[in-house]
Amino acid sequence: GDSVTQMEGPVTLSEEAFLTINCTYTATGYPSLFWYVQYPGEGLQLLLKATKADDKGSNKGFEATYRKETTSFHLEKGSVQVSDSAVYFCGNSGGSNYKLTFGKGTLLTVNP
Amino acid sequence: NAGVTQTPKFQVLKTGQSMTLQCAQDMNHNSMYWYRQDPGMGLRLIYYSASEGTTDKGEVPNGYNVSRLNKREFSLRLESAAPSQTSVYFCASSERGTVVDEQYFGPGTRLTVT
């Protein structure tokens, strides 16, 4: 079946450090891949997405590239800020309509 | 444009009580979803509605029922609440529900069953 495995946290970084959160997936069809962010006390918000192999999604300084050969969609940011502290979820549509499978989430804390 | 709204924000129930969680979206989306979020488990799909008039089970439907009241509203009902249903519940919607569509989430309902 469809699945997502993402790096377990928590991850603690200092401001301006480089961030990588790993995400790998399995899918039976041709999935789209997503990164969502959840700030404390809020719902999930779409951060970025990629709909086909080799696409790069980007937003707010975050980037992720859809790598079919390694079934990966790792999230990166060159210089994190305190305001980036949140839980990050990788999502996989699995190639089927109406289905979005999420990883367990990675808690990121950025210290000043 | 409020997006996806959910009521209530918080609720405490006793075991065996019933309640309905309400969800509405104003984006004219066709598809709507209910998830639960538990520590260390990520989000799990309870039920979804591909379009007005249809509903289908997700990964964890036991103990829940849903109603797609109209295109805007999708409610989740707990007929006899159990402590295992203590969780944060999120409603979401998407334009068509296809593999490329992102989902838009509400702020959540935090439910405690004692």
Side-chain angles (χ1 to χ4, degrees):
Chain A
D2 303 324
S3 69
V4 173
T5 303
Q6 70 178 94
M7 181 172 144
E8 296 208 11
V11 174
T12 303
L13 296 173
S14 297
E15 208 164 21
E16 300 184 1
F18 184 85
L19 169 71
T20 300
I21 301 178
N22 291 337
C23 171
T24 57
Y25 68 92
T26 62
T28 52
Y30 298 94
S32 296
L33 302 172
F34 304 83
W35 277 102
Y36 282 82
V37 58
Q38 183 180 32
Y39 298 105
E42 298 184 11
L44 277 70
Q45 304 173 24
L46 179 70
L47 181 59
L48 53 85
K49 74 176 190 181
T51 59
K52 61 183 188 297
D54 299 325
D55 268 2
K56 178 186 280 189
S58 61
N59 186 25
K60 300 182 182 179
F62 291 90
E63 292 183 338
T65 301
Y66 187 160
R67 302 273 187 215
K68 194 173 176 188
E69 63 276 13
T70 54
T71 61
S72 65
F73 193 55
H74 303 322
L75 183 68
E76 295 182 338
K77 187 174 185 183
S79 176
V80 294
Q81 306 299 312
V82 172
S83 56
D84 294 327
S85 298
V87 181
Y88 292 81
F89 291 91
C90 186
N92 165 15
S93 71
S96 300
N97 291 340
Y98 316 115
K99 305 287 188 187
L100 188 55
T101 301
F102 290 94
K104 293 184 179 179
T106 302
L107 172 64
L108 170 67
T109 302
V110 180
N111 294 319
Chain B
N1 203 353
V4 179
T5 56
Q6 293 182 237
T7 55
K9 284 193 163 62
F10 301 94
Q11 184 71 48
V12 178
L13 291 178
K14 290 186 169 27
T15 297
Q17 287 185 317
S18 62
M19 79 161 294
T20 299
L21 281 63
Q22 306 287 354
C23 173
Q25 52 90 11
D26 63 0
M27 296 174 282
N28 201 35
H29 285 173
N30 288 306
S31 303
M32 298 185 73
Y33 312 80
W34 277 106
Y35 293 89
R36 59 178 290 173
Q37 182 180 29
D38 301 294
M41 301 291 289
L43 276 81
R44 293 180 292 170
L45 183 65
I46 305 171
Y47 270 93
Y48 68 96
S49 170
S51 59
E52 188 179 353
T54 70
T55 61
D56 282 287
K57 294 177 180 179
E59 186 183 350
V60 288
N62 291 345
Y64 305 95
N65 285 303
V66 290
S67 295
R68 183 75 182 266
L69 304 168
N70 48 55
K71 192 171 185 180
R72 290 187 64 247
E73 298 172 287
F74 188 38
S75 62
L76 178 73
R77 182 159 179 84
L78 288 70
E79 290 291 351
S80 178
S84 60
Q85 293 178 305
T86 293
S87 187
V88 182
Y89 292 85
F90 289 100
C91 178
S93 69
S94 65
E95 187 173 354
R96 298 160 298 167
T98 67
V99 298
V100 300
D101 287 345
E102 60 263 36
Q103 294 183 13
Y104 295 80
F105 285 79
T109 294
R110 187 173 294 274
L111 175 67
T112 302
V113 183
T114 61

